[in-house]
Amino acid sequence: MEFSEYIKTANVEDVVLRQPLHPPGRGTLCITGHHLLFSDREEGSCRQVLLLLRNIDAIEKSVENLLTCYGLFSNAGLSQRLSGSSGTITIKCKDLRVLQLDIPGMEECLNIARSIETLSCLDSMSELYPFFYRPSNASLRDQWGLSSLERHYSQMKELHDRWRLSTVNRDFSVCPSYPQAVIVPKSTDDDMLEKVAKFRQGGRFPVLCYYHKKNGMVIMRSSQPLTGANRKRCREDEQLLQAVIDGSDKGYIIDTRSSQQALQARMTGGGLESKSCYSSWKRLQRQMERGKALQESLIKLVEACGDDSNNMDRWLSKLENSKWLSHVQTALSTAGLLAECVERDGHSVLVHGSEGTDSTLLISTLAQLIMDPSCRTLEGFLTLLEREWVQAGHPFQQRCAHSAHSHARLQQESPVFLLLLDCVWQLWGQFPLALGFSEALLLRLATEAYASDYGTFLGNNQQERCALGVKENTHCLFQALLRPRERDCYSNPLYEHTELAIWPSVHPQSLQLWRGFFLRWTPQIHHLEEAQEEIRNMVIEWGKLALSSCPAST
Amino acid sequence: MEHIRLPKVDNVRLLDRISPRRNRVGTLYLTATHTIFVENEAGVRNETWVLHSLVCSLEKQAATASGSSLLIHCKNFQVLNFVIPRERECHDVHLSLQRLSQPERPDELYCFSYKPNIDAEERRPEWDFLDLRADYRRMGLPNSLWKLSSVNQHYKLSDTYPADLFVPESATPLVIVGSSKFRSRGRFPTLSYYSKENHAAICRSSQPLSGFSARCLEDEQMLEAILRSNPHSDFMYVVDTRPKLNAIANRAAGKGYENEDNYSNIKFQFIGIENIHVMRNSQQKMMEVCELRSPSMSDFLEGLESSGWLKHIKAVLDAGIFIAVAEEGVSVLVHCSDGWDRTAQVCSVACVLLDPHYRTLRGFMVLIEKDWISFGHKFSHRCNHLQGDPKEVSPVIDQFLECVWQLMEQFPCAFEFNARFLITIHSHIYSCQYGNFIGNNQRERTELGLREKTHSLWSYLWMNRADYINPLYRPDHSQTQGLLRPSTAPYCFKFWRALYNRFDRGMHPRQSVEDYLSAIQEETQQLKEQLASHKQKIAQLEQAQEWSVPQKAVPFDKSPTGWTFCNDLANTPQDYTGGFFTSSPCQPRAPITLQTEESNKTSKSILSNGSDQESGIADVSCRSPLSEDSTRDPDSDEATYSAS
């Protein structure tokens, strides 16, 4: 790849960098194809800041021409005059950090700004950094990913009676956003699946996503049925769903749209499962915000957090107005409802909205965390994310193209994954001992989804990743997070396994702003991090003593 | 008891605010000191105790077919809704409680009947536990700059001030008396805190009686003397904690604020903290929001905003920070109108920020004793201990406790005590179980003979301090050192769920990091001791050259002892459905998790009380609850803390 054409000025000396939590530093700025590198040249310090250009959401530049001062010296040459000018670039990152660079020289400043603008949103995926990242401690031949549906199926012996692994999608022709293998009822053959796929938006026919061992009930997910205005039916779709509840009296369909939205979808070819055709299924409409509205909510919240008017009324009204916490509440309570249907009420549930790639995944993931202790360990959680988000086809590339600071016109951006992480953080706050991972993991994932050294979140689905050769040419984030040093940092020292379901409280009083993420770059967070450090040390000390006091048993 | 019209009512329902599934049926008993609800369920003895002195308001609602409803709001934010089958009974219970919860004479207060059979001699160590003079000695007083003055012996100069007061060495009795005559209620400028490192002092007073133009030479001399007691500074701050408009309005009544022109080298500053009436209404509004049945996120946030509560908390904390920062070199005189509400808040918040000692368990108790109790915060009026003027009631001390809680949230390692400590203090300020918060000032307390006839909360808290220790506190942690510099950006303030929604157990985290860490800490300590003693034994053995007997350690169970994990977790699904399941044709089968909860209840309530129902009443009034455990329902999650 030739990036050099985008880089007019690669190095600038004497740049001042201002960033949160650090005193300003003076040093050299360097732009490469993927990074912004700043090295502090101040006496006695050798700080380096390496920023992935992909992490930059928006930049603002202002140049100050000091010609007026220099106008007095009429004999001063042009180059000298330009060097008397200077510029400031404000960099707003997708991880919500805001940096400022004071650059001597207007031309240099404009060149740097132009390079950042171009290189931070390269369109071609194969030019992205993960394809160039070659850490010394890992090899491209290392295992990629944690699990696969094939492995998942073979491990779940309980499934084998009634469920089978289908490879009808092996060449992604039936459903471009599904993985090659999916789990479906044993009684449905691949021909049926192909017909059902034609009846569901984007070919996302109902597949199994969770099997509740305690009572054999399942969670299925799909996209909306394409009934359209003339209320088309699809026998195979009806049969497939009948096969799911086989034997039990009924199942629930949780539709993440309001009834009105669902009815309106008929006009554009979508629709819902009618009572008459799916008589043993009871539909529950639970409206969840999606798409643009969610992105705007994030933008408003981040804007509120950056407001420094120091006015309490204004803060609370902006917080309310952003509706972010309302979305957290809705997501958790819909997931709670889903888990309640399965665990308490003992029925199988089909979840879908319209496309089945966003809110559907959000609530099915949360419900699994609530019910299934095996998803709550560090590995378990990452495996869950891999299965339910990466392999299940959440379009990361589109959803995470920009974050809250971008001025670009919104296209497909939507912080659904961030909303998931926020909800998981709420669970973590209410059950601080039940989850095996730390807040640091959630923060890391929130950053990596938007800009990463790793290939894990590249592309929108498995088909795109296969075409790009992601597995062969990039490193896997999930594997990296499980290396011993990372594991120490990302595991929860207080974790204790519990078999019980963890039902979150969804009262407004119980839900909180995720300060660790939204206020991550304020100095107050430091004291909370110290407390986490203290907790870790206490547990370590206790563990060491416990070990040393029973040498006989070890 | 002559006020109890009906000692017992059967078939009373206790309604659950959140979920009708959890309504309970039982018997209601009225005793001299408590209302007790005993659930009738076979094999279950589940009790809810409510102290009469904690009852804040009673509302009898119109009778319906199922009975008459009685709504009880408590000062510790518990809300109980009873439905009593017959209107007549409800009426009697209502009238009885109305009388019982509003004592007319001080001697009817609960503290005089709580554990009464102990003579004054035995009570003395309880009351001697805290000594304010020792705290002043800790500050380095008296010294060459400040002296202990006897001007207010027998409360002659100011009947709302304590007898012992520190004044500048150079202040003569004449100056003090003159200054006192120029201040509301005679509350002249006197020392509240002194920093021995930089000689700066925090002084407090009431407003000057300056009207539009009055001056008082002695008062000016008094401020001059305070200024001169700080040799390193050539000016001092005078901080009026009221909004400027309020202070100006006071001038018309012959009161007001200091004129910078009349006092030499003062910098005058207004800090707009609102008055007690605004604060009372604000808390009331917030509590209405907390009690909404199932509010949406927007309802809650809008309500919280319009209550203005967090704005007021921020104002108090901002004022405290202003003073604490100034105090790093410059002396400050703080006042409001009478100098017993906002002044107490601001001085004590500043002390917490400034001095790590006040962030310890004992130091915090001393601070409340000093800035609130001794300087005459009107607890009886503000907390409505006796039937009185509702306009005098105000949650001024609640705001102080909340400011400290907000600080604890920002600096989790800086405080030796935990939030439970603050909440326990809060409930006992209102419970009247201990003598500490009875009366409006020292003079009244001496007259009531509280030291001879009641118990002290401080020694109770100290004896039970294991419950109140913050496991993250380390005296040598960086957060523990020196001045705390909190942020007061609006987003740093949180809603204090653990206090205001304390009794809504479904809202709280189901597992406590703190309890877990405390258990670990205790065990770590034990292990260290074990290890040390083993090492010692090994050394002894080595000396005796008896190598043949190796030491064997006790097998170790790798879970903190006494920590009830499963109980904490056994929660039930919240109401995610909006009533869907209850109306659904297919009623849910008895759910697994719910059963776990029921069985917990059973086992715990069996533990909680051995006496039978009939003898319960007689038994109950003398079996006075030892702690506030009594006021909470025994199956609440908090109960598991005390069990562990």
Side-chain angles (χ1 to χ4, degrees):
Chain A
M1 244 329 71
E2 245 351 285
F3 296 116
S4 59
E5 58 182 294
Y6 302 125
I7 306 174
K8 287 252 168 56
T9 303
N11 281 291
V12 195
E13 298 284 342
D14 220 23
V15 172
V16 176
L17 170 72
R18 291 167 217 280
Q19 55 171 337
L21 313 179
H22 294 284
R26 187 180 292 274
T28 308
L29 178 72
C30 177
I31 296 282
T32 71
H34 293 110
H35 289 99
L36 179 156
L37 176 69
F38 177 87
S39 10
D40 199 331
R41 287 284 162 78
E42 219 97 314
E43 278 296 307
S45 81
C46 50
R47 204 150 42 98
Q48 283 210 335
V49 176
L50 183 67
L51 182 69
L52 201 57
L53 291 174
R54 190 77 187 169
N55 193 349
I56 297 176
D57 206 16
I59 68 167
E60 284 156 20
K61 50 186 186 280
S62 69
V63 287
E64 232 171 77
N65 198 332
L66 302 181
L67 266 181
T68 41
C69 313
Y70 284 80
L72 297 171
F73 307 94
S74 51
N75 58 346
L78 180 72
S79 61
Q80 216 176 335
R81 265 187 259 154
L82 275 177
S83 68
S85 60
S86 75
T88 297
I89 299 179
T90 306
I91 294 176
K92 297 185 170 173
C93 299
K94 292 171 184 167
D95 62 11
L96 307 185
R97 191 168 15 161
V98 178
L99 309 174
Q100 193 187 313
L101 295 165
D102 298 338
I103 299 171
M106 186 168 76
E107 195 178 329
E108 285 85 348
C109 178
L110 292 175
N111 284 342
I112 299 266
R114 211 168 299 131
S115 302
I116 294 177
E117 271 165 356
T118 317
L119 292 168
S120 63
C121 32
L122 293 173
D123 285 329
S124 159
M125 265 189 276
S126 59
E127 291 175 2
L128 294 179
Y129 187 59
F131 290 100
F132 299 84
Y133 177 59
R134 296 292 173 262
S136 56
N137 60 349
S139 151
L140 284 178
R141 284 190 299 276
D142 292 347
Q143 192 199 332
W144 210 98
L146 302 176
S147 184
S148 63
L149 263 148
E150 287 87 342
R151 244 178 80 194
H152 181 62
Y153 179 77
S154 67
Q155 284 165 351
M156 298 275 288
K157 296 270 182 286
E158 312 80 36
L159 282 178
H160 298 184
D161 270 356
R162 292 189 46 226
W163 301 85
R164 71 186 184 93
L165 194 73
S166 164
T167 51
V168 66
N169 199 37
R170 72 187 78 80
D171 54 0
F172 303 108
S173 60
V174 177
C175 172
S177 64
Y178 268 168
Q180 285 157 308
V182 290
I183 302 170
V184 292
K186 213 164 202 172
S187 55
T188 48
D189 58 34
D190 284 357
D191 291 344
M192 265 176 86
L193 293 177
E194 283 182 45
K195 285 184 185 136
V196 176
K198 292 206 176 73
F199 183 65
R200 294 273 171 180
Q201 185 176 354
R204 294 176 72 92
F205 54 88
V207 294
L208 178 119
C209 86
Y210 173 66
Y211 178 85
H212 196 52
K213 288 180 193 163
K214 276 186 205 148
N215 57 14
M217 294 300 133
V218 298
I219 300 177
M220 307 284 292
R221 55 176 159 70
S222 70
S223 59
Q224 64 176 340
L226 300 173
T227 57
N230 49 5
R231 309 198 181 174
K232 254 191 334 218
R233 290 179 66 169
C234 171
R235 299 271 169 224
E236 289 79 6
D237 192 71
E238 291 164 23
Q239 281 164 15
L240 190 157
L241 289 184
Q242 193 58 45
V244 169
I245 48 171
D246 170 53
S248 70
D249 55 347
K250 66 155 58 189
Y252 290 113
I253 297 174
I254 295 184
D255 188 333
T256 63
R257 302 166 295 178
S258 68
S259 313
Q260 206 192 355
Q261 283 171 330
L263 290 172
Q264 265 170 4
R266 282 183 179 162
M267 297 303 125
T268 50
L272 41 77
E273 293 84 355
S274 68
K275 217 172 267 173
S276 53
C277 311
Y278 298 85
S279 54
S280 19
W281 290 82
K282 181 166 171 53
R283 224 171 354 92
L284 303 170
Q285 306 288 153
R286 285 291 181 277
Q287 187 188 356
M288 292 178 66
E289 213 51 81
R290 61 195 75 228
K292 230 176 219 173
L294 208 54
Q295 181 74 10
E296 276 159 8
S297 167
L298 174 70
I299 292 173
K300 281 186 191 163
L301 177 62
V302 170
E303 202 264 320
C305 292
D307 182 347
D308 45 13
S309 66
N310 208 20
N311 179 322
M312 183 63 78
D313 289 349
R314 197 164 143 157
W315 157 249
L316 287 173
S317 98
K318 281 186 160 188
L319 178 64
E320 189 277 312
N321 193 252
S322 79
K323 299 279 183 245
W324 181 262
L325 285 173
S326 306
H327 302 323
V328 170
Q329 188 186 31
T330 312
L332 278 172
S333 65
T334 313
L337 172 69
L338 168 55
E340 212 175 359
C341 289
V342 174
E343 151 102 29
R344 252 193 73 202
D345 208 32
H347 288 291
S348 289
V349 186
L350 168 69
V351 188
H352 70 73
S354 34
E355 293 172 7
T357 54
D358 297 291
S359 50
T360 305
L361 305 182
L362 176 59
I363 66 163
S364 72
T365 307
L366 289 172
Q368 292 181 56
L369 276 169
I370 292 172
M371 290 186 286
D372 183 5
S374 68
C375 314
R376 300 187 207 133
T377 61
L378 180 58
E379 288 94 333
F381 180 59
L382 294 178
T383 311
L384 177 70
L385 291 182
E386 183 181 60
R387 191 172 70 237
E388 286 292 278
W389 289 77
V390 177
Q391 293 167 354
H394 175 68
F396 279 100
Q397 202 67 29
Q398 293 174 351
R399 298 292 181 257
C400 301
H402 286 288
S403 179
H405 289 301
S406 172
H407 305 300
R409 203 169 58 82
L410 290 186
Q411 292 171 329
Q412 300 279 331
E413 291 84 358
S414 186
V416 192
F417 187 64
L418 188 60
L419 184 60
L420 169 83
L421 296 175
D422 195 333
C423 292
V424 175
W425 178 80
Q426 307 281 351
L427 272 176
W428 185 78
Q430 295 188 20
F431 297 89
L433 315 178
L435 299 176
F437 45 88
S438 66
E439 181 179 13
L441 178 80
L442 301 175
L443 292 171
R444 174 85 187 261
L445 290 169
T447 308
E448 297 282 345
Y450 283 85
S452 180
D453 294 346
Y454 298 90
T456 301
F457 295 122
L458 278 182
N460 294 306
N461 49 53
Q462 291 295 77
Q463 187 185 21
E464 286 186 21
R465 282 177 208 114
C466 279
L468 284 166
V470 166
K471 223 174 222 187
E472 295 75 30
N473 299 310
T474 73
H475 290 277
C476 170
L477 172 67
F478 294 147
Q479 287 289 351
L481 294 177
L482 290 175
R483 284 199 202 103
R485 251 183 59 200
E486 275 77 6
R487 191 187 282 264
D488 276 350
C489 163
Y490 296 125
S491 58
N492 176 4
L494 303 175
Y495 173 68
E496 293 258 314
H497 177 84
T498 170
E499 280 297 324
L500 295 169
I502 53 171
W503 300 104
S505 160
V506 295
H507 298 284
Q509 287 96 319
S510 306
L511 303 175
Q512 305 209 334
L513 175 70
W514 186 12
R515 285 175 170 71
F517 180 74
F518 292 104
L519 303 171
R520 190 173 179 182
W521 306 104
T522 59
Q524 293 79 42
I525 292 302
H526 176 63
H527 303 303
L528 305 183
E529 286 168 355
E530 281 181 342
Q532 289 301 321
E533 191 56 42
E534 197 68 27
I535 291 175
R536 199 172 284 277
N537 290 339
M538 283 177 73
V539 177
I540 289 174
E541 192 191 1
W542 170 66
K544 271 187 195 153
L545 277 167
L547 273 180
S548 68
S549 78
C550 50
S553 58
T554 45
Chain B
M1 282 296 289
E2 74 264 42
H3 305 307
I4 301 171
R5 292 162 155 252
L6 191 65
K8 179 183 169 196
V9 191
D10 286 317
N11 286 320
V12 173
R13 273 183 305 144
L14 176 58
L15 304 186
D16 189 278
R17 224 163 50 73
I18 310 280
S19 153
R21 279 200 301 249
R22 285 191 226 127
N23 288 350
R24 292 179 267 164
V25 179
T27 307
L28 190 70
Y29 298 92
L30 293 187
T31 73
T33 54
H34 289 82
T35 304
I36 304 157
F37 176 79
V38 182
E39 192 176 341
N40 323 323
E41 205 172 295
V44 175
R45 232 191 120 89
N46 195 354
E47 298 174 0
T48 306
W49 289 52
V50 180
L51 202 54
H52 294 324
S53 38
L54 277 172
V55 172
C56 169
S57 73
L58 295 156
E59 268 173 67
K60 194 169 138 264
Q61 284 153 350
T64 61
S66 59
S68 309
S69 153
L70 184 66
L71 188 64
I72 304 179
H73 279 92
C74 299
K75 293 171 181 176
N76 60 357
F77 309 117
Q78 186 167 24
V79 182
L80 293 159
N81 195 353
F82 290 111
V83 177
I84 297 170
R86 270 181 295 276
E87 160 88 58
R88 178 80 224 148
E89 293 167 332
C90 183
H91 182 72
D92 283 344
V93 171
H94 182 221
L95 283 186
S96 314
L97 274 178
Q98 213 158 35
R99 179 61 189 81
L100 290 165
S101 65
Q102 293 245 300
E104 287 161 3
R105 298 185 321 273
D107 61 336
E108 292 174 31
L109 289 170
Y110 180 43
C111 57
F112 293 105
S113 56
Y114 172 62
K115 286 200 277 183
N117 299 325
I118 292 174
D119 62 28
E121 223 20 57
E122 280 178 77
R123 293 176 199 252
R124 179 160 306 145
E126 278 188 37
W127 286 100
D128 287 343
F129 168 69
L130 280 193
D131 177 11
L132 277 187
R133 286 191 189 210
D135 192 51
Y136 287 111
R137 274 200 300 279
R138 190 188 62 86
M139 295 180 205
L141 300 178
N143 62 8
S144 60
L145 299 165
W146 294 88
K147 65 180 177 195
L148 184 63
S149 161
S150 55
V151 283
N152 204 37
Q153 291 305 316
H154 311 297
Y155 313 105
K156 270 188 279 192
L157 212 50
S158 169
D159 59 353
T160 61
Y161 259 177
D164 290 349
L165 287 166
F166 280 89
V167 294
E169 180 62 38
S170 59
T172 61
L174 215 63
V175 167
I176 298 171
V177 171
S179 167
S180 154
K181 292 210 169 103
F182 189 63
R183 296 271 169 181
S184 282
R185 307 293 303 256
R187 294 169 69 94
F188 58 89
T190 175
L191 182 121
S192 157
Y193 178 73
Y194 172 78
S195 157
K196 57 181 169 203
E197 279 79 34
N198 56 30
H199 304 298
I202 299 176
C203 297
R204 51 185 289 173
S205 71
S206 59
Q207 62 187 338
L209 304 174
S210 53
F212 290 102
S213 59
R215 292 183 63 167
C216 167
L217 193 61
E218 289 89 345
D219 194 59
E220 290 162 25
Q221 285 170 343
M222 186 73 187
L223 263 65
E224 178 81 34
I226 292 172
L227 169 59
R228 265 186 314 204
S229 299
N230 181 357
H232 299 314
S233 174
D234 50 10
F235 75 97
M236 68 181 280
Y237 284 108
V238 175
V239 173
D240 188 329
T241 54
R242 297 169 294 183
K244 189 171 181 183
L245 265 178
N246 302 20
I248 290 174
N250 263 299
R251 280 162 65 169
K255 301 164 184 172
Y257 53 94
E258 292 81 356
N259 183 339
E260 266 183 340
D261 299 336
N262 300 341
Y263 293 83
S264 48
N265 303 316
I266 67 163
K267 284 193 183 165
F268 186 84
Q269 180 80 35
F270 283 114
I271 292 182
I273 302 176
E274 298 292 345
N275 65 25
I276 56 166
H277 312 294
V278 174
M279 301 308 189
R280 178 179 58 244
N281 293 334
S282 171
Q283 194 187 47
Q284 223 153 37
K285 272 193 187 165
M286 179 176 68
M287 291 320 299
E288 281 163 23
V289 176
C290 295
E291 285 163 29
L292 290 176
R293 228 184 127 231
S294 50
S296 71
M297 194 45 119
S298 294
D299 294 338
F300 178 73
L301 288 174
E302 276 168 10
L304 189 61
E305 182 202 337
S306 72
S307 77
W309 182 256
L310 287 177
K311 181 170 67 186
H312 299 313
I313 297 294
K314 175 169 154 55
V316 174
L317 194 55
D318 273 326
I321 293 170
F322 177 87
I323 290 170
V325 170
E327 169 68 12
E328 290 205 292
V330 180
S331 293
V332 189
L333 171 66
V334 186
H335 69 73
C336 45
S337 301
D338 290 311
W340 52 46
D341 295 313
R342 286 169 274 205
T343 303
Q345 285 178 332
V346 171
C347 290
S348 51
V349 168
C351 283
V352 167
L353 293 170
L354 274 167
D355 195 334
H357 176 67
Y358 295 124
R359 305 197 286 264
T360 64
L361 213 63
R362 185 190 272 267
F364 189 71
M365 299 192 257
V366 169
L367 182 65
I368 292 181
E369 187 70 32
K370 171 172 77 83
D371 271 320
W372 293 83
I373 297 174
S374 88
F375 275 108
H377 175 68
K378 303 201 292 176
F379 281 104
S380 272
H381 287 165
R382 296 292 178 257
C383 307
N384 211 12
H385 289 333
L386 294 170
Q387 198 176 36
D389 181 2
K391 287 228 157 57
E392 283 281 331
V393 180
S394 187
V396 181
I397 184 102
D398 296 19
Q399 292 183 315
F400 166 63
L401 295 174
E402 179 166 341
C403 282
V404 176
W405 177 79
Q406 300 280 1
L407 290 172
M408 286 164 63
E409 288 290 296
Q410 277 197 41
F411 300 95
C413 310
F415 291 83
E416 192 191 12
F417 47 87
N418 56 20
R420 202 179 300 159
F421 183 60
L422 299 179
I423 292 170
T424 308
I425 292 179
H426 179 273
S427 42
H428 284 303
I429 285 173
Y430 291 92
S431 73
C432 299
Q433 186 168 334
Y434 295 93
N436 307 64
F437 307 103
I438 308 300
N440 291 314
N441 50 56
Q442 208 176 65
R443 184 181 51 82
E444 285 186 18
R445 272 189 293 277
T446 316
E447 282 167 10
L448 288 170
L450 291 166
R451 284 175 77 97
E452 293 77 38
K453 296 181 198 151
T454 71
H455 296 275
S456 165
L457 174 65
W458 304 137
S459 65
Y460 163 77
L461 291 175
W462 186 252
M463 278 181 336
N464 293 284
R465 62 186 174 279
D467 290 345
Y468 305 120
I469 294 284
N470 168 16
L472 290 176
Y473 174 80
R474 260 196 298 119
D476 55 345
H477 195 280
S478 63
Q479 287 183 21
T480 316
Q481 314 304 314
L483 177 67
L484 284 188
R485 293 180 185 275
S487 161
T488 58
Y491 54 66
C492 292
F493 291 82
K494 296 185 192 170
F495 167 76
W496 194 2
R497 175 186 58 213
L499 179 65
Y500 304 113
N501 282 109
R502 187 176 159 196
F503 293 90
D504 296 298
R505 55 201 174 102
M507 285 184 195
H508 302 288
R510 291 303 176 144
Q511 301 173 319
S512 159
V513 172
E514 201 180 283
D515 290 349
Y516 184 88
L517 290 178
S518 296
I520 279 187
Q521 201 169 38
E522 199 180 311
E523 212 159 83
T524 304
Q525 198 51 43
Q526 284 171 4
L527 286 169
K528 273 183 181 166
E529 283 161 19
Q530 234 175 54
L531 205 67
S533 87
H534 285 181
K535 275 184 182 153
Q536 205 180 0
K537 273 184 204 155
I538 290 171
Q540 283 168 356
L541 289 171
E542 276 174 345
Q543 269 184 346
Q545 292 190 325
E546 288 177 7
W547 281 95
S548 55
V549 192
Q551 283 295 310
K552 257 207 174 157
V554 192
F556 181 74
D557 169 21
K558 200 185 174 306
S559 71
T561 42
W563 179 67
T564 50
F565 180 75
C566 293
N567 290 351
D568 283 352
L569 254 183
N571 69 335
T572 49
Q574 305 283 323
D575 197 2
Y576 306 114
T577 55
F580 159 70
F581 277 118
T582 38
S583 59
S584 147
C586 52
Q587 278 294 328
R589 289 180 285 274
I592 308 159
T593 46
L594 200 68
Q595 277 176 343
T596 333
E597 192 197 41
E598 300 302 333
S599 58
N600 281 341
K601 258 188 210 167
T602 322
S603 60
K604 257 179 264 161
S605 33
I606 287 166
L607 284 176
S608 72
N609 202 323
S611 60
D612 70 48
Q613 275 193 15
E614 283 312 308
S615 63
I617 312 168
D619 205 334
V620 137
S621 52
C622 57
R623 187 189 149 270
S624 293
L626 308 167
S627 68
E628 61 189 64
D629 296 11
S630 56
T631 56
R632 58 200 193 194
D633 130 9
D635 73 335
S636 79
D637 289 316
E638 292 169 72
T640 58
Y641 299 149
S642 55
S644 63

